[in-house]
Amino acid sequence: MDCLFCSIVAGKIPSSRVYEDDVCYAFRDIHPQAPVHILVIPKEHICCANAVTSENSATVAKIFEVIPVIAAEQGIDKSGYRVLTNCGDDACQTVKHLHFHILGGRKLSEEMA
Ligand code: 5GP
Ligand code: ZN
């Protein structure tokens, strides 16, 4: 399967890693939209939020355990940050491998859409 983020997990495409464990991988977005813009992804290929099931939801839970650790490491846990995932065309999901954006480091827009 030709998946950009699977290739990043496999180290075939370089990335700026900020966190890694056996379940998930986090790296800096190549086109940051905020001073801190990090993507947290499962190492296993899950295409999007639609594909989260009872079989793989522990992976997603682990990602949400890791997000505050990363936020603290980046110094944005106190000031605040946004976590979002795009699912499907209307949400403009461009990479079809589940990923959670962590955005912070400045006051973010009140608009979410
Ligand atoms: P989406 O629009 O699917 O929610 O987000 C995909 C994100 O992946 C975008 O913010 C985009 O900048 C980022 N991205 C796309 N290709 C690469 C890449 O090769 N490396 C990194 N680090 N980020 C990428
Ligand atoms: Zn993938």
Side-chain angles (χ1 to χ4, degrees), residues 4-5 8 13-16 27-33 37 39 84-88 91-101 103:
L4 175 64
F5 285 176
I8 283 178
I13 292 175
S15 63
S16 177
F27 55 104
R28 295 194 187 282
D29 197 291
I30 205 165
H31 296 303
Q33 295 189 28
H37 187 173
L39 302 173
L84 69 88
T85 189
N86 294 318
C87 178
C92 305
Q93 182 185 5
T94 57
V95 180
K96 309 299 188 205
H97 180 128
L98 181 66
H99 52 282
F100 295 90
H101 298 256
L103 294 153

Side-chain angles (χ1 to χ4, degrees), residues 2-86:
D2 195 20
C3 171
L4 175 64
F5 285 176
C6 282
S7 296
I8 283 178
V9 167
K12 293 178 191 156
I13 292 175
S15 63
S16 177
R17 181 182 66 180
V18 298
Y19 178 91
E20 181 173 14
D21 62 28
D22 53 340
V23 170
C24 58
Y25 186 79
F27 55 104
R28 295 194 187 282
D29 197 291
I30 205 165
H31 296 303
Q33 295 189 28
V36 176
H37 187 173
I38 289 166
L39 302 173
V40 192
I41 68 175
K43 286 189 167 177
E44 67 172 304
H45 182 85
I46 299 171
C47 69
C48 62
N50 281 340
V52 177
T53 66
S54 57
E55 301 292 306
N56 60 23
S57 59
T59 296
V60 178
K62 175 67 182 180
I63 287 174
F64 272 84
E65 244 179 74
V66 161
I67 285 171
V69 173
I70 294 171
E73 282 173 1
Q74 298 295 319
I76 58 171
D77 55 322
K78 303 287 191 301
S79 50
Y81 56 95
R82 184 169 289 157
V83 177
L84 69 88
T85 189
N86 294 318

